[in-house]
Amino acid sequence: MSDAWIKVCAADALAIEDVMRFDHGERTLIVCRTADGSYHVADGICTHEKVHLADGCVLGNAIECAKHNGRFDLRTGDAVRRPCRVPIARYDVKIEGGEVYARLG
Amino acid sequence: MANALSLPRNYALDGPENRRAVERGLANATWYTSPIPRARMRQLMQRKDGPAIRDTVIWFALLAVSGALGGLAWGTWWAVPAFAVYGVLYASVSDSRWHECGHGTAFKTSWMNEVIYHLASFMAVRAPTPWRWSHARHHSDTIIVGRDPEIAVPRPPRIARLLANFTHLVSAPKDLANMLRHSVGRLHPAERDFIPEGEERAIFWTSRAHLAIYAAFVFWAIAARSVLPLMYVGLPTLYGSWLMVVFGLTQHAGLAEDVLDHRLNCRTVSLNPVLRWLYWNMNYHVEHHMFPMAPYHALPALHEVLKADMPPPYRGLWEAYREIIPTIWRQSKDPTYFVRRPLPAPPPNNSLDAARA
Ligand code: FES
């Protein structure tokens, strides 16, 4: 665990309603850009079954899982559509110098 | 270790094949996906309200017109074609609407998916919550024996049952029994395998609501001394589900079990626009299973993008049934037999990476 900010990607690497996978150590995460242009970083594996959320799509403020169309609200991590019921962890994000940073502590 | 494979296989979710599938790595496994450029996939995943609103308005209008004509013509032979149309629209078309709205892909607006999902569940005589979870399992473990609750043709096929089910004579009593079981607060043991805890309340109360509606129509029919009210609600499942079965059998019947590639256990069948409207494009079944996020209106375009990596589609229901009927017949004598779908040669690795980029 660390409180350090880590560089994730260039801010312009993501379009509106876009998602990208990134790995940090053993962890798989996603960085997303929602419909309002804001950036979010969250755990990258669906809490329903072990499926990469980066294979899904961002719809409005939510990420939809590719396997069963479950959804998580990226602003809160809450599971907002069945079959997902357990939230995903999300992390602090900042944009500096055109780069996306996340604090994965 | 679970038992070695024995024939005939045990398809029960609470039987030994479930554990065997888990041990063999067939449960919640990683499935083959065809390469598709990410940007193109993002386009194809876009949700819209327009197509489903249009189709739903047409559907309701056709139900109203055919139902009204049937009522007006009641007592004459003209009621037969009117209710034949009404029944298919009610009991068969509701299946495809149930399916797409269950995936949450038909409409962009979530509540619209939910409203039509619940309405179509009632019309198709399905318990909405158990079927939501059952269908999620069907997508996780498609035609994996002991895991998939939606295997329509277990081997060896029971041909008389299959034929009887064109009028839902087999499944309607089962649906009714399930509804009664749920209404008294009980789940079937097999349902426990795919329905998580916490869903019971919704299941039990929905089944009570469905039963109350059916009871109201039965009382109405008794009071009116006429079967007419039941022609609108209740009986369509018997006289209008046949098209759902015709479509549904093409999806997986006779194909491989226990494989992790949807190209081997699903069929894509070319259909004319009217049938595709009735079926909401579920004839693109390989594509749907491989990419369930693509809405029904995007499936023809998805098919075009993927077709080089797919087995050839069947050129209509006729061609599909020319394979399905003899296969089922043969499987009734030899349950090890199945249709082997031809796969195109895999593209070289570097072009795969480029295609996925
Ligand atoms: S694996 Fe994500 S919704 Fe099922």
Side-chain angles (χ1 to χ4, degrees), chain B residues 255-297:
Chain B
L255 300 179
E257 294 171 339
D258 295 351
V259 291
L260 298 178
D261 187 335
H262 291 114
R263 301 173 302 171
L264 299 173
N265 65 10
C266 303
R267 274 188 194 83
T268 284
V269 182
S270 301
L271 294 181
N272 68 46
V274 174
L275 293 180
R276 285 200 282 113
W277 183 86
L278 294 169
Y279 196 22
W280 260 9
N281 285 337
M282 270 309 109
N283 51 305
Y284 297 107
H285 214 65
V286 185
E287 293 82 354
H288 165 66
H289 266 274
M290 201 180 271
F291 296 106
M293 280 187 309
Y296 76 96
H297 48 79

Coordinates of all heavy atoms in Angstrom, one line a residue, chain B residues 255-297:
Chain B
L255 N -25.3 -28.9 -31.4 CA -23.9 -28.4 -31.5 C -23.1 -29.0 -30.3 O -23.6 -29.6 -29.4 CB -23.8 -26.9 -31.6 CG -24.5 -26.3 -32.8 CD1 -24.4 -24.8 -32.8 CD2 -24.0 -26.9 -34.1
A256 N -21.8 -28.6 -30.2 CA -20.9 -29.2 -29.2 C -21.2 -28.7 -27.8 O -21.7 -27.6 -27.6 CB -19.5 -28.7 -29.6
E257 N -21.0 -29.6 -26.9 CA -21.1 -29.3 -25.5 C -19.7 -29.2 -24.9 O -18.7 -29.7 -25.5 CB -21.8 -30.5 -24.7 CG -23.2 -30.7 -25.1 CD -23.8 -32.0 -24.5 OE1 -23.0 -32.9 -24.1 OE2 -25.0 -32.0 -24.4
D258 N -19.5 -28.4 -23.8 CA -18.3 -28.4 -23.1 C -17.1 -27.8 -23.9 O -16.0 -28.4 -23.9 CB -17.9 -29.7 -22.5 CG -18.9 -30.2 -21.4 OD1 -19.7 -29.4 -21.1 OD2 -18.8 -31.3 -21.0
V259 N -17.4 -26.8 -24.8 CA -16.3 -26.2 -25.5 C -16.3 -24.7 -25.1 O -17.3 -24.2 -24.6 CB -16.5 -26.3 -27.0 CG1 -16.3 -27.7 -27.5 CG2 -17.9 -25.7 -27.5
L260 N -15.2 -24.0 -25.2 CA -15.1 -22.6 -24.8 C -14.9 -21.7 -26.0 O -14.1 -20.8 -26.0 CB -13.9 -22.5 -23.8 CG -14.0 -23.3 -22.5 CD1 -12.8 -23.1 -21.7 CD2 -15.2 -22.9 -21.7
D261 N -15.7 -22.0 -27.0 CA -15.7 -21.2 -28.2 C -17.1 -21.1 -28.8 O -17.6 -22.1 -29.2 CB -14.7 -21.8 -29.3 CG -14.5 -20.9 -30.5 OD1 -15.4 -20.1 -30.8 OD2 -13.4 -21.1 -31.1
H262 N -17.7 -19.9 -28.7 CA -19.1 -19.8 -29.1 C -19.3 -20.1 -30.6 O -20.4 -20.4 -31.0 CB -19.6 -18.4 -28.8 CG -19.7 -18.1 -27.3 ND1 -19.0 -17.2 -26.7 CD2 -20.5 -18.7 -26.4 CE1 -19.3 -17.2 -25.4 NE2 -20.2 -18.1 -25.2
R263 N -18.3 -20.1 -31.4 CA -18.4 -20.4 -32.8 C -18.7 -21.9 -33.0 O -19.2 -22.3 -34.0 CB -17.1 -20.1 -33.6 CG -16.8 -18.6 -33.5 CD -15.5 -18.3 -34.1 NE -14.4 -19.0 -33.5 CZ -13.1 -19.1 -33.9 NH1 -12.8 -18.4 -35.0 NH2 -12.2 -19.8 -33.3
L264 N -18.4 -22.7 -31.9 CA -18.7 -24.1 -32.0 C -20.0 -24.6 -31.4 O -20.4 -25.7 -31.6 CB -17.5 -24.9 -31.3 CG -16.1 -24.7 -31.9 CD1 -15.1 -25.3 -31.0 CD2 -16.1 -25.2 -33.3
N265 N -20.6 -23.7 -30.6 CA -21.8 -24.1 -29.9 C -23.0 -23.2 -30.1 O -24.0 -23.3 -29.4 CB -21.6 -24.4 -28.4 CG -21.3 -23.2 -27.6 OD1 -21.3 -22.0 -28.1 ND2 -20.8 -23.3 -26.4
C266 N -22.9 -22.2 -31.0 CA -24.0 -21.3 -31.4 C -24.1 -21.3 -32.9 O -23.1 -21.5 -33.6 CB -23.7 -19.9 -30.9 SG -23.4 -19.7 -29.2
R267 N -25.3 -21.0 -33.3 CA -25.6 -20.8 -34.8 C -25.9 -19.4 -35.1 O -26.7 -18.8 -34.4 CB -26.8 -21.7 -35.2 CG -26.5 -23.1 -35.6 CD -27.7 -23.7 -36.2 NE -27.4 -25.2 -36.3 CZ -27.6 -26.0 -35.2 NH1 -28.2 -25.5 -34.1 NH2 -27.4 -27.3 -35.3
T268 N -25.4 -18.9 -36.2 CA -25.8 -17.7 -36.8 C -26.6 -18.0 -38.0 O -26.1 -18.8 -38.9 CB -24.7 -16.7 -37.1 OG1 -24.3 -16.1 -35.8 CG2 -25.1 -15.6 -38.0
V269 N -27.8 -17.6 -38.2 CA -28.7 -18.0 -39.3 C -29.2 -16.7 -40.0 O -29.7 -15.8 -39.3 CB -29.9 -18.7 -38.7 CG1 -30.8 -19.2 -39.9 CG2 -29.5 -19.9 -37.9
S270 N -29.0 -16.6 -41.3 CA -29.5 -15.5 -42.0 C -31.0 -15.5 -42.1 O -31.6 -16.6 -42.4 CB -29.0 -15.5 -43.5 OG -27.6 -15.4 -43.4
L271 N -31.7 -14.4 -41.8 CA -33.2 -14.4 -41.8 C -33.6 -13.1 -42.5 O -32.9 -12.1 -42.6 CB -33.7 -14.3 -40.4 CG -33.5 -15.5 -39.5 CD1 -34.2 -15.3 -38.1 CD2 -34.1 -16.8 -40.1
N272 N -34.8 -13.2 -43.0 CA -35.4 -12.0 -43.7 C -35.7 -10.9 -42.7 O -35.8 -11.2 -41.5 CB -36.6 -12.3 -44.6 CG -37.8 -12.8 -43.8 OD1 -38.1 -12.1 -42.8 ND2 -38.4 -13.9 -44.2
P273 N -35.9 -9.7 -43.1 CA -36.1 -8.6 -42.1 C -37.3 -8.7 -41.2 O -37.3 -8.3 -40.1 CB -36.3 -7.3 -43.0 CG -35.7 -7.7 -44.3 CD -35.8 -9.2 -44.5
V274 N -38.4 -9.4 -41.7 CA -39.6 -9.6 -40.9 C -39.3 -10.5 -39.7 O -39.5 -10.2 -38.6 CB -40.8 -10.1 -41.7 CG1 -42.0 -10.4 -40.8 CG2 -41.2 -9.1 -42.8
L275 N -38.6 -11.6 -40.0 CA -38.3 -12.6 -39.0 C -37.2 -11.9 -38.0 O -37.3 -12.1 -36.8 CB -37.7 -13.9 -39.6 CG -38.7 -14.7 -40.4 CD1 -38.1 -16.0 -40.9 CD2 -39.9 -15.1 -39.5
R276 N -36.3 -11.1 -38.6 CA -35.3 -10.5 -37.7 C -36.0 -9.5 -36.8 O -35.6 -9.3 -35.6 CB -34.2 -9.8 -38.5 CG -33.3 -10.8 -39.1 CD -31.9 -10.2 -39.5 NE -32.0 -9.5 -40.8 CZ -31.9 -8.1 -40.8 NH1 -31.7 -7.4 -39.8 NH2 -32.0 -7.6 -42.0
W277 N -37.1 -8.8 -37.3 CA -37.8 -7.9 -36.4 C -38.5 -8.7 -35.3 O -38.5 -8.3 -34.1 CB -38.8 -7.1 -37.2 CG -39.6 -6.1 -36.4 CD1 -39.2 -4.9 -36.1 CD2 -40.8 -6.3 -35.7 NE1 -40.1 -4.3 -35.2 CE2 -41.1 -5.1 -35.0 CE3 -41.7 -7.4 -35.6 CZ2 -42.3 -5.0 -34.2 CZ3 -42.8 -7.3 -34.8 CH2 -43.1 -6.1 -34.1
L278 N -39.1 -9.8 -35.6 CA -39.8 -10.6 -34.6 C -38.8 -11.1 -33.6 O -39.1 -11.3 -32.4 CB -40.5 -11.8 -35.3 CG -41.7 -11.4 -36.2 CD1 -42.2 -12.7 -37.0 CD2 -42.9 -10.9 -35.4
Y279 N -37.6 -11.4 -34.0 CA -36.6 -12.1 -33.2 C -35.6 -11.1 -32.6 O -34.7 -11.5 -31.9 CB -36.0 -13.2 -34.1 CG -35.2 -14.3 -33.4 CD1 -35.4 -14.6 -32.0 CD2 -34.2 -15.0 -34.1 CE1 -34.6 -15.6 -31.5 CE2 -33.5 -16.0 -33.5 CZ -33.7 -16.3 -32.2 OH -32.9 -17.3 -31.6
W280 N -35.7 -9.9 -32.9 CA -34.8 -8.8 -32.6 C -33.3 -9.3 -32.8 O -32.4 -9.1 -31.9 CB -35.0 -8.4 -31.1 CG -35.8 -7.1 -31.0 CD1 -36.4 -6.4 -32.1 CD2 -36.0 -6.3 -29.9 NE1 -37.0 -5.3 -31.6 CE2 -36.8 -5.2 -30.3 CE3 -35.6 -6.4 -28.5 CZ2 -37.2 -4.1 -29.4 CZ3 -36.0 -5.4 -27.7 CH2 -36.8 -4.3 -28.1
N281 N -33.1 -9.8 -34.0 CA -31.7 -10.1 -34.5 C -31.0 -11.2 -33.7 O -29.7 -11.3 -33.8 CB -30.9 -8.8 -34.5 CG -31.2 -8.0 -35.7 OD1 -31.8 -8.4 -36.7 ND2 -30.9 -6.7 -35.6
M282 N -31.7 -12.0 -32.9 CA -31.0 -13.0 -32.1 C -30.5 -14.2 -33.0 O -29.9 -15.1 -32.6 CB -31.8 -13.5 -31.0 CG -31.7 -12.8 -29.7 SD -29.9 -12.6 -29.2 CE -29.7 -10.9 -29.6
N283 N -30.9 -14.1 -34.3 CA -30.3 -15.0 -35.3 C -28.8 -14.9 -35.4 O -28.1 -15.8 -35.8 CB -31.0 -14.9 -36.7 CG -31.0 -13.5 -37.2 OD1 -31.4 -12.6 -36.5 ND2 -30.4 -13.3 -38.3
Y284 N -28.3 -13.7 -35.0 CA -26.8 -13.5 -35.0 C -26.3 -14.0 -33.6 O -25.8 -13.3 -32.8 CB -26.5 -12.0 -35.2 CG -26.9 -11.5 -36.5 CD1 -28.0 -10.6 -36.6 CD2 -26.2 -11.9 -37.7 CE1 -28.4 -10.2 -37.9 CE2 -26.6 -11.4 -38.9 CZ -27.7 -10.5 -39.0 OH -28.1 -10.1 -40.2
H285 N -26.5 -15.3 -33.4 CA -26.3 -15.8 -32.1 C -24.9 -16.0 -31.7 O -24.6 -15.8 -30.5 CB -27.1 -17.1 -31.9 CG -27.7 -17.2 -30.5 ND1 -28.6 -16.4 -30.0 CD2 -27.4 -18.1 -29.5 CE1 -28.9 -16.7 -28.8 NE2 -28.2 -17.7 -28.4
V286 N -24.0 -16.3 -32.6 CA -22.6 -16.4 -32.2 C -22.1 -15.0 -31.8 O -21.5 -14.9 -30.8 CB -21.7 -16.9 -33.4 CG1 -20.3 -17.1 -33.0 CG2 -22.3 -18.2 -34.0
E287 N -22.5 -14.0 -32.6 CA -22.0 -12.7 -32.3 C -22.6 -12.2 -31.0 O -21.8 -11.6 -30.2 CB -22.5 -11.7 -33.4 CG -21.8 -12.0 -34.8 CD -22.5 -13.1 -35.6 OE1 -23.4 -13.8 -35.1 OE2 -22.1 -13.3 -36.8
H288 N -23.8 -12.5 -30.7 CA -24.4 -12.1 -29.4 C -23.7 -12.7 -28.3 O -23.4 -12.1 -27.3 CB -25.9 -12.5 -29.4 CG -26.5 -12.4 -28.0 ND1 -26.6 -11.2 -27.3 CD2 -26.9 -13.4 -27.1 CE1 -27.1 -11.4 -26.1 NE2 -27.3 -12.7 -26.0
H289 N -23.4 -14.0 -28.4 CA -22.7 -14.7 -27.2 C -21.3 -14.2 -27.1 O -20.8 -14.0 -25.9 CB -22.7 -16.2 -27.4 CG -23.9 -16.8 -26.7 ND1 -23.9 -17.2 -25.4 CD2 -25.1 -17.1 -27.1 CE1 -25.0 -17.7 -25.0 NE2 -25.8 -17.7 -26.1
M290 N -20.6 -13.9 -28.2 CA -19.3 -13.4 -28.1 C -19.2 -12.0 -27.5 O -18.3 -11.7 -26.7 CB -18.6 -13.5 -29.5 CG -17.1 -13.6 -29.4 SD -16.4 -13.7 -31.1 CE -16.4 -15.4 -31.3
F291 N -20.1 -11.2 -27.9 CA -20.1 -9.8 -27.5 C -21.5 -9.4 -27.0 O -22.2 -8.7 -27.7 CB -19.6 -8.9 -28.6 CG -18.2 -9.1 -29.1 CD1 -17.9 -9.8 -30.2 CD2 -17.2 -8.7 -28.2 CE1 -16.6 -10.0 -30.6 CE2 -15.8 -9.0 -28.6 CZ -15.6 -9.6 -29.8
P292 N -21.9 -9.8 -25.8 CA -23.3 -9.5 -25.3 C -23.5 -8.0 -25.1 O -24.7 -7.6 -25.0 CB -23.3 -10.2 -24.0 CG -22.1 -11.1 -23.9 CD -21.1 -10.6 -24.8
M293 N -22.5 -7.2 -25.2 CA -22.7 -5.8 -25.0 C -23.3 -5.1 -26.3 O -23.7 -4.0 -26.2 CB -21.4 -5.1 -24.6 CG -21.1 -5.2 -23.2 SD -19.6 -4.2 -22.8 CE -18.5 -4.7 -24.1
A294 N -23.2 -5.8 -27.4 CA -23.7 -5.2 -28.6 C -25.2 -5.2 -28.7 O -25.8 -6.3 -28.5 CB -23.1 -5.9 -29.8
P295 N -25.9 -4.1 -28.8 CA -27.3 -4.1 -28.8 C -27.9 -4.8 -30.1 O -27.1 -4.9 -31.1 CB -27.8 -2.7 -28.8 CG -26.5 -1.8 -28.9 CD -25.3 -2.7 -28.9
Y296 N -29.1 -5.3 -30.0 CA -29.7 -6.0 -31.1 C -29.6 -5.3 -32.5 O -29.3 -5.9 -33.5 CB -31.1 -6.4 -30.8 CG -32.1 -5.3 -31.0 CD1 -32.8 -5.2 -32.2 CD2 -32.4 -4.4 -30.0 CE1 -33.8 -4.2 -32.4 CE2 -33.3 -3.4 -30.2 CZ -34.0 -3.3 -31.4 OH -34.9 -2.3 -31.5
H297 N -29.7 -4.0 -32.4 CA -29.7 -3.2 -33.7 C -28.3 -3.1 -34.3 O -28.2 -2.8 -35.5 CB -30.4 -1.9 -33.5 CG -29.9 -1.1 -32.4 ND1 -28.7 -0.4 -32.4 CD2 -30.4 -0.9 -31.1 CE1 -28.5 0.2 -31.2 NE2 -29.5 -0.1 -30.4

